[in-house]
């Protein structure tokens, strides 16, 4: 896994979202540059679809969801909709699994001020859904809590 470097992260808040609002349906769009290693995080009330490269589909999406009073940071990564053969889908799946801790560290640290207003969310579960037409890659996995990714 690559190490998270805060200086490589650019954060953009999409109004009306701000450092303290909203909690419900707060959405994160994380993209990156393969050439520079820079990470780009958009925080808003909707996903930043303009930042998603439709031919690569290597973004990580996240959102705060509330179910029966329990908050969960729910993530989604796109492995394959059938445009990739099974072997390439496996490679994408393995890369996402390996790099997700870096992506989650970017989301949590990029929105660090949010947790000063809602510190209990640091202990909410992070669940990530891997979307694929191949059943072996269509998985939902637990990735700990935001507290684990917060830089000291």
């Amino acid at each position: 896994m690559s190490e998270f470097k805060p200086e490589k992260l650019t954060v953009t808040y999409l109004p009306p979202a701000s450092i303290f609002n909203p909690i419900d349906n707060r959405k994160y769009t994380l993209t990156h540059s393969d050439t520079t290693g820079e990470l780009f995080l958009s925080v808003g009330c909707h996903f930043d679809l303009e930042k998603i490269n439709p031919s690569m589909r290597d973004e990580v999406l996240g959102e705060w969801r509330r179910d029966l009073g329990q908050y969960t940071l729910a993530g989604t990564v796109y492995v394959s909709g059938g445009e990739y053969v099974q072997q390439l889908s496996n490679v994408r799946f393995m890369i996402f699994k390996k790099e997700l801790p870096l992506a989650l560290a970017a989301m949590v640290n990029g929105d660090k001020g949010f947790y000063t207003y809602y510190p209990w969310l640091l202990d909410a579960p992070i669940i990530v859904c891997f979307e694929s037409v191949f059943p072996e890659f269509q998985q939902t996995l637990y990735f700990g809590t935001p507290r684990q990714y917060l830089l000291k």
Side-chain angles (χ1 to χ4, degrees):
M1 174 189 77
S2 307
E3 183 185 337
F4 173 64
K5 297 181 176 101
E7 66 276 7
K8 293 268 192 176
L9 178 64
T10 301
V11 181
T12 305
Y13 285 91
L14 307 172
S18 68
I19 195 169
F20 57 88
N21 257 346
I23 300 178
D24 292 343
N25 300 312
R26 185 179 194 82
K27 293 182 174 27
Y28 302 99
T29 307
L30 184 73
T31 57
H32 71 280
S33 165
D34 284 330
T35 52
T36 65
E38 290 176 284
L39 297 167
F40 306 96
L41 178 65
S42 298
V43 182
C45 300
H46 55 84
F47 294 117
D48 195 352
L49 300 178
E50 291 178 12
K51 293 284 180 5
I52 295 173
N53 180 337
S55 64
M56 296 286 289
R57 291 304 313 267
D58 57 1
E59 74 281 351
V60 177
L61 304 176
E63 69 180 301
W64 283 103
R65 293 184 185 155
R66 182 169 42 159
D67 186 36
L68 301 174
Q70 163 87 29
Y71 280 98
T72 301
L73 182 53
T76 306
V77 294
Y78 180 83
V79 177
S80 175
E83 70 277 29
Y84 302 113
V85 296
Q86 191 167 1
Q87 189 173 2
L88 185 53
S89 296
N90 183 45
V91 169
R92 287 175 57 82
F93 177 76
M94 298 307 288
I95 290 170
F96 273 123
K97 272 182 69 174
K98 180 178 172 262
E99 296 298 334
L100 258 164
L102 170 69
L104 294 170
M107 280 185 189
V108 170
N109 289 283
D111 202 19
K112 196 183 220 170
F114 177 69
Y115 297 101
T116 60
Y117 292 96
Y118 309 103
W120 64 88
L121 292 178
L122 285 169
D123 297 310
I126 300 172
I127 305 296
V128 179
C129 177
F130 293 76
E131 297 180 340
S132 177
V133 294
F134 298 106
E136 61 269 36
F137 311 128
Q138 176 71 36
Q139 298 183 19
T140 300
L141 302 175
Y142 173 72
F143 275 87
T145 67
R147 187 179 303 280
Q148 292 173 236
Y149 300 96
L150 199 59
L151 291 180
K152 306 288 183 256

